[in-house]
């Protein structure tokens, strides 16, 4: 039997960063390659297999990804993660950082509709903050979370649940989650979010996100507010 909570108005929106709100453009793979070359963390398997694993696990905590590649060697994974974060920062410094086109306006539109907006990422806090500062988003979002802030990385529900607790959101059903990876969708589902959207601006395709049980798959994050409005999940009727 359907309960009213399944149709609770959304109060909190949890958005992934790279591939969802922040343009990746291959930076994660470039940083991984540099880290692998520096540390040899992926030497135990063919390079193609390592790269495919990185692609399949986009959105997950980087320490978890490197622990797998290092066959459970946590010390090696920590060295590789540090190398990855350093390489990512270097690439951002070299190339700059860009938003997914329209992402900032989309976030502002969500906030204008009375919603709290929290960013989440598999990156360490230092990398996350470099991206936010590079985009000038410090005042655009309410706050941002990394696995280090919550416990476990995606696909565990910890970052979504931490966002719920910090924002004092009334119920898990009052949360919308959006991201470009299986891990984003699974994290939202495991947290009990009332609405989970996949977006096609990053790592995974429509079939993959649908199979992960996304409620909807959108071309990009700019369609999220409209999708919520169409389902009657917004308290306010702002149209900008």
């Amino acid at each position: 039997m359907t309960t009213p909570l399944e149709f609770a108005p959304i109060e909190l929106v949890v958005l992934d960063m790279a591939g969802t709100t922040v343009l990746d453009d291959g930076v994660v793979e470039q940083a991984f390659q540099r880290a692998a070359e520096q540390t040899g963390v992926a030497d135990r398997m063919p390079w193609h297999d390592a790269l495919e694993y990185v692609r399949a696990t986009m959105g997950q905590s980087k320490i978890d990804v490197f622990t797998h590649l290092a066959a459970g060697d946590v010390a090696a994974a920590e060295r590789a993660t540090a190398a990855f974060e350093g390489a990512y920062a270097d690439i951002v410094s070299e190339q700059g950082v860009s938003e997914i086109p329209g992402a900032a306006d989309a976030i502002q539109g969500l906030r204008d509709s009375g919603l709290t907006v929290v960013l989440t990422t598999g990156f360490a806090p230092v990398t996350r903050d470099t991206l936010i500062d590079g985009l000038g988003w410090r005042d655009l979002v309410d706050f941002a979370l990394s696995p280090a802030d919550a416990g476990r990385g995606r696909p565990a529900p910890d970052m979504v649940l931490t966002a719920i607790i910090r924002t004092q959101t009334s119920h898990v059903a009052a949360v919308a989650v959006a991201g470009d990876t299986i891990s984003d969708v699974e994290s939202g589902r495991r947290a009990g979010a009332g609405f989970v959207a996949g977006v096609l601006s990053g790592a995974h395709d429509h079939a993959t996100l649908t199979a992960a049980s996304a409620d909807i798959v959108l071309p990009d994050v700019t369609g999220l507010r409209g999708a919520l409005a169409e389902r009657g999940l917004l308290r306010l009727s702002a149209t900008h």
Side-chain angles (χ1 to χ4, degrees):
M1 184 174 180
T2 300
T3 66
L5 283 173
E6 289 177 319
F7 297 99
I10 297 300
E11 301 168 22
L12 167 66
V13 178
V14 178
L15 300 175
D16 170 54
M17 291 184 67
T20 302
T21 54
V22 181
L23 189 66
D24 174 61
D25 204 22
V27 176
V28 168
E29 290 187 17
Q30 291 178 55
F32 166 66
Q33 182 169 356
R34 292 189 188 186
E37 289 171 351
Q38 291 173 22
T39 66
V41 70
D43 287 353
R44 73 181 184 89
M45 64 177 69
W47 173 251
H48 177 268
D49 292 349
L51 188 57
E52 283 302 307
Y53 182 78
V54 169
R55 289 170 177 163
T57 56
M58 287 285 191
Q60 295 187 20
S61 170
K62 296 302 174 278
I63 185 66
D64 292 342
V65 174
F66 283 117
T67 298
H68 171 84
L69 293 174
D73 186 335
V74 175
E78 289 174 344
R79 289 192 297 272
T81 300
F84 171 88
E85 300 289 353
Y88 195 98
D90 288 344
I91 294 167
V92 167
S93 178
E94 295 161 8
Q95 301 179 7
V97 59
S98 300
E99 66 173 86
I100 295 291
D105 288 343
I107 292 169
Q108 188 61 58
L110 292 166
R111 297 191 74 186
D112 289 345
S113 295
L115 305 177
T116 300
V117 178
V118 174
L119 300 181
T120 58
T121 180
F123 295 139
V126 63
T127 304
R128 176 199 71 208
D129 292 344
T130 296
L131 293 173
I132 291 172
D133 289 339
L135 291 165
W137 284 6
R138 187 64 60 180
D139 296 325
L140 179 64
V141 298
D142 289 273
F143 57 89
L145 295 170
S146 294
D149 304 306
R152 296 170 295 175
R154 294 181 294 237
D158 299 30
M159 288 193 287
V160 177
L161 295 175
T162 297
I164 291 169
I165 292 168
R166 288 197 187 181
T167 58
Q168 298 185 3
T169 298
S170 65
H171 193 278
V172 293
V175 181
V177 174
D180 66 295
T181 70
I182 295 172
S183 294
D184 295 309
V185 174
E186 290 183 350
S187 178
R189 283 280 165 250
R190 294 181 188 187
F195 187 79
V196 180
V199 295
L200 298 174
S201 52
H204 294 154
D205 62 17
H206 193 289
T208 302
L209 295 169
T210 300
S213 299
D215 291 308
I216 193 171
V217 178
L218 302 166
D220 55 51
V221 72
T222 63
L224 180 59
R225 189 198 168 281
L228 294 174
E230 287 173 5
R231 288 160 176 76
L233 295 175
L234 296 182
R235 281 203 175 99
L236 302 183
S237 59
T239 57
H240 50 287

